[in-house]
Amino acid sequence: MHLLKYRILQTVRRGSVMFWALAFPIILGTFFYISFGSGDMGEDMEMIPVAVALDGGESVYAETFLEFLDSMDGDILRVTPMTGEEAREALLADEVAGIFHCKETPSLTVAGSGIRPSILKSLMDSYDKNAAMFALIAQEHPEDMGRAAAAMSQWREMTEDVGVKGRTMDPNVTYFFALIAYACLSGAFLGVQSSVDTQANLSALGARRSITPTHKLLLTLTDMLALFFIHFCNVLILTAYIRFVLGIDLGSDMPSIVLVEWMGSMIGISLGILLGSVSRLALGMKMGLCVLATLFPGFLAGLMFGQMKDVIEHHCPLVNRINPAAVLSDAFYSISVYNDGERLARSVGILGVMSVAMVLVSYLAVRRVRYDSI
């Protein structure tokens, strides 16, 4: 208890390592929130500005097509009647996303590719198919035209978008899952500092601890327990900040999320102790190595580019199995999106094996260290 108490006090008083382990993930999460907003993807889609060129003269077909466009004006489209020349100038100036030509055979003109031109093309294709269907009915079964028109007017959605647990997840939550995974790995900064404090050639505290009769395994485990307690609290603070201050919905199964964060905190501390124990580099070099060992796995897990983990999954899935940040992110998805207990158990098992392996390597690296003079 004496060792635990003073290791905890020692750690929380070191502002530099606590900044990377707690403050930096919170700052990063705030920037994510500013960039992505509250995460509410259920807002109405912005209307697409289009021009309607009445350049084909008056005809029954042109009037019918114009009525079709008017029915969507103010809903999907923001329709503006123009002459042909005005419409072309507006399209080139990017004032409209496309031009609908109302003539004997209606047509669409767009200036490029993307989401909005694709939506306009889908609307145009839908109209063409319906027009062809009505023409066929009028030719072969004219007596059924009334029934066909009534059926078309009663069109309605027959599907509903729901998540696995009856709700839809915001795609931007990917970044916040990756952020929590990165925050778990940031415990490595605490672990590196702790390992330096046990090495007599790197710190005065390490020299004093090296001459104590306390077994090195006990010192290592005590340090891990104290650091784990501190960093687990750090991750819980970050999670509470994301959930209750930023208002990001991480899912309803919070106990399972806390379990994954418990394992993530353990592997972060284990990673730091490993990095600090296996080399004789100065503290500054070890901290630089720690930055690389936390940011690069976070990048591969989607911290900077949300689709990166999916890209790796398609081309080299083994990387996602050995990358602790990707394993943590996948565990969060197993809880909040997939509702897959088997996948969650696999992720937790991988994290547990990684933590034990890192602790054993760290112990083997320091247990036989001897100094000629202290």
Side-chain angles (χ1 to χ4, degrees):
M1 293 304 297
H2 177 82
L3 292 173
L4 281 173
K5 173 184 175 182
Y6 283 98
R7 171 52 68 183
I8 291 174
L9 291 176
Q10 235 174 8
T11 302
V12 297
R13 289 172 179 173
R14 284 191 167 124
S16 58
V17 293
M18 289 300 293
F19 170 81
W20 288 106
L22 175 60
F24 183 69
I26 291 177
I27 294 172
L28 199 57
T30 303
F31 286 148
F32 282 175
Y33 179 80
I34 294 173
S35 301
F36 306 137
S38 63
D40 184 8
M41 300 295 290
E43 299 176 357
D44 295 335
M45 183 182 68
E46 183 180 355
M47 291 183 292
I48 303 174
V50 297
V52 176
L54 304 172
D55 50 7
E58 295 184 0
S59 68
V60 174
Y61 297 103
E63 291 180 1
T64 302
F65 184 59
L66 186 59
E67 291 177 1
F68 169 73
L69 295 176
D70 287 340
S71 67
M72 290 182 291
D73 188 17
D75 183 14
I76 300 176
L77 306 178
R78 187 170 71 246
V79 178
T80 305
M82 300 181 183
T83 64
E85 185 62 29
E86 291 174 343
R88 282 189 291 273
E89 291 178 357
L91 182 62
L92 292 175
D94 202 27
E95 296 175 358
V96 296
I99 305 172
F100 286 108
H101 302 276
C102 292
K103 49 188 178 181
E104 189 74 15
T105 303
S107 62
L108 168 67
T109 300
V110 296
S113 60
I115 295 177
R116 298 197 301 178
S118 298
I119 293 174
L120 297 182
K121 184 179 183 302
S122 296
L123 292 175
M124 190 73 243
D125 291 344
S126 177
Y127 176 82
D128 289 340
K129 291 177 181 178
N130 290 336
M133 181 183 65
F134 275 110
L136 182 63
I137 293 174
Q139 180 180 355
E140 298 183 358
H141 301 282
E143 70 280 4
D144 291 332
M145 283 293 294
R147 293 171 55 193
M152 289 295 295
S153 64
Q154 295 174 1
W155 180 90
R156 58 192 176 92
E157 290 279 359
M158 298 300 293
T159 60
E160 180 181 359
D161 293 329
V162 296
V164 175
K165 293 186 177 180
R167 60 191 187 87
T168 302
M169 292 294 295
D170 173 11
N172 288 332
V173 172
T174 302
Y175 291 97
F176 291 96
F177 284 154
L179 173 64
I180 297 176
Y182 165 75
C184 290
L185 294 186
S186 294
F189 292 98
L190 303 180
V192 167
Q193 183 64 60
S194 171
S195 67
V196 170
D197 289 342
T198 63
Q199 299 178 59
N201 60 320
L202 296 179
S203 67
L205 177 60
R208 292 196 298 271
R209 299 186 78 187
S210 296
I211 62 175
T212 64
T214 308
H215 198 281
K216 287 187 177 180
L217 180 58
L218 178 59
L219 287 174
T220 300
L221 293 178
T222 301
D223 287 352
M224 279 203 65
L225 185 59
L227 298 177
F228 169 73
F229 172 77
I230 294 171
H231 192 55
F232 184 48
C233 292
N234 291 343
V235 177
L236 291 180
I237 291 171
L238 173 66
T239 304
Y241 178 75
I242 293 173
R243 179 64 185 89
F244 299 108
V245 178
L246 300 184
I248 304 299
D249 186 5
L250 299 175
S252 57
D253 191 0
M254 290 306 297
S256 296
I257 290 178
V258 171
L259 170 63
V260 174
E261 292 176 344
W262 186 85
M263 291 301 301
S265 301
M266 180 64 72
I267 199 169
I269 298 299
S270 303
L271 175 63
I273 292 178
L274 176 65
L275 292 175
S277 301
V278 297
S279 66
R280 298 183 179 181
L281 299 175
L283 177 59
M285 293 294 293
K286 290 185 177 183
M287 284 298 182
L289 185 62
C290 190
V291 171
L292 178 62
T294 54
L295 280 179
F296 185 64
F299 165 73
L300 296 181
L303 183 64
M304 294 79 169
F305 174 56
Q307 302 303 317
M308 179 56 69
K309 187 161 73 76
D310 294 332
V311 172
I312 295 174
E313 186 68 28
H314 283 88
H315 294 87
C316 189
L318 178 62
V319 174
N320 282 341
R321 303 298 175 267
I322 62 176
N323 176 10
V327 176
L328 284 166
S329 179
D330 193 62
F332 290 130
Y333 261 81
S334 300
I335 297 168
S336 300
V337 179
Y338 304 133
N339 194 23
D340 189 343
E342 182 178 349
R343 188 168 182 171
L344 173 62
R346 184 191 70 184
S347 298
V348 172
I350 292 174
L351 294 172
V353 170
M354 287 182 178
S355 297
V356 172
M358 290 179 184
V359 172
L360 288 176
V361 173
S362 301
Y363 171 66
L364 293 175
V366 300
R367 74 187 182 100
R368 293 190 181 276
V369 173
R370 297 292 185 271
Y371 299 97
D372 291 336
S373 177
I374 297 181

